[in-house]
Structures are given as structure tokens and as C-alpha cells.
Amino acid sequence: MKADLIRIYKSVHTWTGILTGMALFIAFYAGALTVFKEPIVRWATPNPTVSYLPLDETPGLIASVLAARPEVADGFAIHLRNAEHVPARMGWDEADGNDGDAASKRHYIAYLDAGGLQMEQSRPSGLASFVDVLHRVVGLPVDSDPARWFMGVVASLYALALVSGVIVLLPSLVKDFFALRTGRNLKRMWLDAHNVVGIVSLPFHIVMALSSVVFAFHDGIYDLQDKLMYEGKLAAVFQRAGPPETAGPRDPATLLTPRELVARAREFAPGFEPETLQYQRIAGPRALVRVWGKNERAVSPRAMGGFLALDPYSGKVLSTDYLPGGQDTPNLWISSFFALHMASFGGAAVKWLYFLLGLAGAWLFYSGNLLWIETRRKRADRRTGAIPAQRLDTRLMASATVGVCLGSVCGISLMMLASKWLHGRVGDLDAWLQALYYLAFFACIAWAFLRGGAAAGVHLLRLAAALALAIPATSLLGALFPASGLWAHASAATLAVDATALAMALGFAWLAQASARRIARGEPDSVWAPRLPLASTE
């Protein structure tokens, strides 16, 4: 391949990476945590205050709620699992205001105690949901259409960086693929590691880039399909056929019991494990229940699994379009696209693999910025040993990279801590969590520019280690002193959150020590050396 063509693709790879690297670091770091969204929710949720009603007694609870609140018949859920983040056996959402927006809905639970039927508002933790928002819109605070379009642009540049990077590496791929040359030339070692991680995880990154573009612009894609292929009738293609015109209202007293619906789902789909029954419009002619669950041996169309749609009165199967392991070929292709992005297949092994690939991807973008910085540094004069003034743009990029990347890490850890320490002590906990994230994020950026990338990198890595270590320490305090208002759970899922945080704390501490050692012993003309004079951008 011609050298000038390689130079062009190298320039494309460099600048697309620089333009998107910090945003993609946030997306990948938050995305790695989102793989374990449910364990994080369970970790951040206090112990349930309500005893779980036996499943066989649930029909009486449903009847009591519908007698007191007939409008609940439009939609409610029966939770089959007993887990930390499930406050009661029955729950439903109600719109708060006139906009009906998901963010403005209130969640209610119902249960039976010695005083009879009790209904009260419940406030689920929004911690994991906000981390997911950071992942989906690269650190922006709101998951809106403009934010998703911005993410789509970032993902498009990301895909371009992938293609150009592979082309640049092709001439030396066989020779340098597994080369990791350690020694005094740290830039060469980082470049080798960057190339190896990039090539090994290339299929993963291709899937992430392409699926992110589709997720960002899918509404526009559907509108275009509707106009060009379906003549404005696309919505009708996805509508389920309604009941006969003679069908009238139905009596909820004749509903099949939850246990009967679960048995019907398991009979129809062996290997499918139901977790939630989502009832919809049960008093009308189009009544249905979505039996949500997972099948670890099949592809799930969503991160939370999939569902089998049943008639709640007869048990008749109404739809298998979203049933893991029961979809037809067109739906399976679409679900596979979602599953490959969300790790909703292959069970725990795939989730851990995606978690590690997500962290490796975050490091890939971080290291790409460091390589750009090192490539543009001015070296000391070989004859006189004089240290030149470094370019202003490299110093600013070093500070921005350290501040943005480590700011997002520290902000997420601080949110996790606050989800326990502030629970029950503030009015709107979710608003506090988001405010604390951005406070930490921008404070880290300010510190990086104030102290410079080298010194701030050590400080912020130590802060990241301390905040990560405080996560399992908080759980330990909750276990030892439950009267403090903290809590700890003994389930495998929540213990895994604490163990992972501990491992990451050790990793950040090691990186901080290595960074400090490099500043003390490294080359004095490096951008990462402290207190170097600045020069204007060339």
C-alpha cells in the first residue's frame, strides 16, 4: 500500500479519535457498568420494608387493588422474584401531570398486612438508569433526541476511526500484531498495547459503532422506510390483530392466577424463566399479559430479557415476537442486533466479557489521546540538554484528557456512594445524584487545568481509588452498623458489585503509583513532566 495513502488514513484515524475519544471513554466506561445494571440497582436499594406476599395469595391482592382503584386495570405488574430492588409483589405507574412522560411517572406498590390493603408510593433508585443515560448519550445529562443525534455523530466518527486504524496497521499487522515492546521507550509500548487491544477487540467495536449509529437515528430510519417502502403504513405492519368486534368488557375476577400463567409460559417455552407479569387493559376486549423473563441459552431482544404475550383469561399465546428462543427469523435478526450491543445472550460469562471489553475500550480511547500528545511533544536538545517549551495544545489536551476521563470515573463512584449515604436524608435523591456527578466531573476538569495533566493525573487517580474503595467500605459499615441508615445485602449480585469496586480501587491505586513514578523518573521533556514552560500553538 502506498505510503501517502497510509499517511492519509493515519491522519483520519488520529483526528477522528481525538474528536471522539473523551466522549467515547465516558460511553464505554459507563457502558461497562451498565452491563450489570440490575446488580447495581439491587446494591443501591435498601432492604424491603414489606414482606413478600405468597404467589398463591396474589389473586386476592389484585382483586382488592382493582376494587379500590379500578383505573389500575389499565396496567400493573406482578413480580415473581424476591430481590432487593423489588419492593412488593404488586406495583404500577401513574402519570404525574399531563405530559405522561416516563420521567414524570410515579411508582406505587400494594401489599396486604394486618390492617388489610395498603397502597403507597415507592421511589426506585435512579442510579443505574442515570449511568445508562451517560452511556447512551456520551455524558450528556438528558436522553433526548438531540443528545442521541450527537451520539450518532460520535459513533459515526468512531466507525471511521476503526476502519482507518485497521488500514494503517495492515502493512505491519503480521509482524507487530502480538508485539509488546517494553523498555525505556514508553511511547512504543503504549502504541503496541493500543494496537493489540484495538485489533483483538475489533469485532466488538464494530458491533458497538454500527449499533450505536442505528440506535441514534432509528426514528429517522423508520420514517424513511415508511415513506419509501410502506407508503405511510409502516405502523400497521407492527399492529397486532384485535379481538372480534363482538368481544366486550371482561371480568378480572375470572383471570387465570399468576401461577397458572407462569406454568403456561414454561410449558410453551421450556428454558424460559419468568420474572414479571405485566398486565395490560385487563378489563377490556384486548386484555393481555406479558410474561417477562430470560432464557440464558437464547438471544434476548432486550437487556432485561424478553416476553411471551398471553391472554390472561384463557392462557392463549398471543405473540412470540419478543420471546427469547421463540422468535421467527426476521425478529431474531433484529433481536440479535440488540443482543450483541446489550450482552443479552450467553448468560453471566458474556456479561463479564462485555464488562472487560468495555473497560478495555475506555482505555483504548484514553491511550489514543496519550499517543497523540506524546507524538507532538518537543524533545530536549541532544547537544545542550535544554528542555524546550512544550506546545500549548498538547498541554491543554493532556489536562482535558485527564480531567474528562477521570472526572467521569470519580463522578460515577461518588454517585454510588451517595445513593446509600443520602438515602432518606434528602428529598429528591436522584436529583442529588446527578448534581453530585456533574459537580465531581467539572471539579476534576478544573483541577486538571489548574495543576496540569501530569500532577492532576496522579491526584485524580488517587481520588478514583479512594472513591472506589469507599463503595465496599460503605457496604461493610452498613453490615456492621445497620442503625446508621446504611445497609448491605448478602446476595451474590450485590457482593459482586463490592468485589468489583475493590478490584478497580486497587487498579486505580496502582496506576496512580505508576504515574507518580513516571513523573519522578521519566524523561524531563515529556508532556507528563511537571512544571514545564508553555509555548503558543504552532
Side-chain angles (χ1 to χ4, degrees):
M1 191 175 294
K2 294 183 178 180
D4 56 346
L5 190 60
I6 291 294
R7 282 195 297 271
I8 292 173
Y9 278 107
K10 185 176 182 180
S11 180
V12 170
H13 178 75
T14 297
W15 286 106
T16 51
I18 288 298
L19 290 172
T20 63
M22 287 178 278
L24 288 170
F25 178 95
I26 298 174
F28 270 73
Y29 183 79
L33 301 181
T34 302
V35 171
F36 293 109
K37 184 176 179 178
E38 181 182 307
I40 291 175
V41 172
R42 295 174 64 175
W43 182 91
T45 302
N47 292 306
T49 58
V50 176
S51 299
Y52 292 113
L53 187 72
L55 191 60
D56 289 333
E57 299 179 22
T58 306
L61 174 63
I62 296 174
S64 298
V65 171
L66 295 182
R69 302 279 298 275
E71 66 275 13
V72 175
D74 289 338
F76 61 91
I78 296 297
H79 302 286
L80 306 175
R81 297 172 56 199
N82 299 346
E84 296 90 347
H85 63 306
V86 178
R89 188 69 69 194
M90 183 176 180
W92 66 91
D93 292 324
E94 292 184 5
D96 180 16
N98 298 321
D99 53 7
D101 196 10
S104 65
K105 289 183 178 179
R106 294 182 178 181
H107 185 71
Y108 289 85
I109 60 173
Y111 56 96
L112 298 174
D113 61 12
L117 174 65
Q118 305 294 331
M119 295 182 289
E120 61 187 46
Q121 186 177 353
S122 174
R123 293 178 173 84
S125 172
L127 169 65
S129 296
F130 183 65
V131 174
D132 192 23
V133 169
L134 295 175
H135 158 63
R136 284 186 278 120
V137 293
V138 293
L140 299 177
V142 180
D143 186 12
S144 61
D145 284 339
R148 286 190 290 271
W149 297 336
F150 177 76
M151 174 59 187
V153 173
V154 170
S156 300
L157 293 174
Y158 165 36
L160 186 59
L162 291 175
V163 173
S164 57
V166 171
I167 293 174
V168 169
L169 198 59
L170 279 178
S172 59
L173 180 60
V174 176
K175 181 181 68 174
D176 295 341
F177 182 35
F178 289 111
L180 185 58
R181 288 160 282 194
T182 60
R184 294 183 61 85
N185 191 339
L186 293 178
K187 177 189 171 185
R188 170 56 64 182
M189 184 184 70
W190 275 76
L191 179 60
D192 288 342
H194 180 87
N195 291 340
V196 169
V197 171
I199 292 297
V200 169
S201 58
L202 182 62
F204 171 78
H205 285 280
I206 290 175
V207 169
M208 293 299 108
L210 296 180
S211 56
S212 296
V213 172
V214 173
F215 294 159
F217 300 117
H218 71 277
D219 287 343
I221 294 172
Y222 287 149
D223 291 341
L224 189 62
Q225 280 184 306
D226 192 19
K227 293 178 181 179
L228 298 181
M229 300 173 60
Y230 295 95
E231 298 180 351
K233 301 178 181 178
L234 179 61
V237 175
F238 295 100
Q239 288 180 351
R240 180 173 63 88
E245 292 184 2
T246 55
R250 307 172 83 169
D251 183 6
T254 62
L255 285 168
L256 293 177
T257 66
R259 190 171 295 281
E260 289 172 329
L261 292 171
V262 169
R264 176 67 178 121
R266 286 176 172 162
E267 177 187 4
F268 181 83
F272 178 68
E273 285 300 322
E275 296 182 353
T276 304
L277 303 180
Q278 182 187 8
Y279 292 81
Q280 295 183 332
R281 305 180 300 275
I282 61 171
R286 296 185 128 187
L288 66 84
V289 58
R290 292 175 174 176
V291 185
W292 284 90
K294 297 178 181 177
N295 185 342
E296 300 295 352
R297 296 188 297 273
V299 170
S300 296
R302 296 292 184 270
M304 61 184 296
F307 64 84
L308 174 66
L310 300 176
D311 184 309
Y313 293 90
S314 66
K316 177 184 176 182
V317 174
L318 300 177
S319 173
T320 61
D321 290 346
Y322 294 90
L323 175 64
Q327 298 178 285
D328 56 22
T329 300
N331 284 310
L332 181 59
W333 275 103
I334 297 173
S335 294
S336 297
F337 196 76
F338 282 85
L340 284 171
H341 187 95
M342 301 175 182
S344 56
F345 67 99
V350 170
K351 291 185 181 298
W352 280 108
L353 176 62
Y354 268 56
F355 174 77
L356 295 175
L357 287 171
L359 294 182
W363 177 86
L364 194 67
F365 304 118
Y366 185 78
S367 63
N369 278 24
L370 299 190
L371 289 168
W372 184 90
I373 294 166
E374 282 294 301
T375 300
R376 282 153 182 80
R377 73 169 174 165
K378 291 184 176 181
R379 298 185 179 276
D381 191 297
R382 293 183 179 180
R383 293 175 297 177
T384 65
I387 299 176
Q390 294 293 330
R391 291 170 42 156
L392 177 61
D393 57 348
T394 59
R395 300 287 296 214
L396 294 179
M397 179 58 74
S399 296
T401 298
V402 168
V404 170
C405 296
L406 295 182
S408 66
V409 171
C410 293
I412 290 175
S413 295
L414 182 61
M415 279 201 305
M416 292 188 66
L417 291 170
S419 68
K420 284 193 174 182
W421 284 97
L422 296 184
H423 180 83
R425 297 176 172 88
V426 296
D428 189 345
L429 179 58
D430 290 344
W432 273 84
L433 296 183
Q434 296 180 29
L436 285 172
Y437 170 81
Y438 284 108
L439 176 63
F441 179 71
F442 288 113
C444 288
I445 294 175
W447 186 255
F449 280 100
L450 179 65
R451 298 301 304 271
V458 177
H459 301 159
L460 297 183
L461 280 169
R462 288 172 177 167
L463 177 62
L467 290 173
L469 181 61
I471 291 173
T474 295
S475 295
L476 180 60
L477 286 173
L480 296 177
F481 306 103
S484 64
L486 302 175
W487 64 87
H489 302 304
S491 64
T494 56
L495 290 175
V497 173
D498 288 321
T500 302
L502 176 59
M504 295 182 72
L506 295 175
F508 291 135
W510 178 83
L511 288 172
Q513 185 63 24
S515 298
R517 187 167 55 248
R518 181 181 182 185
I519 290 176
R521 304 177 185 175
E523 299 175 356
D525 59 351
S526 170
V527 177
W528 303 106
R531 295 185 297 276
L532 284 180
L534 297 180
S536 59
T537 304
E538 293 184 352

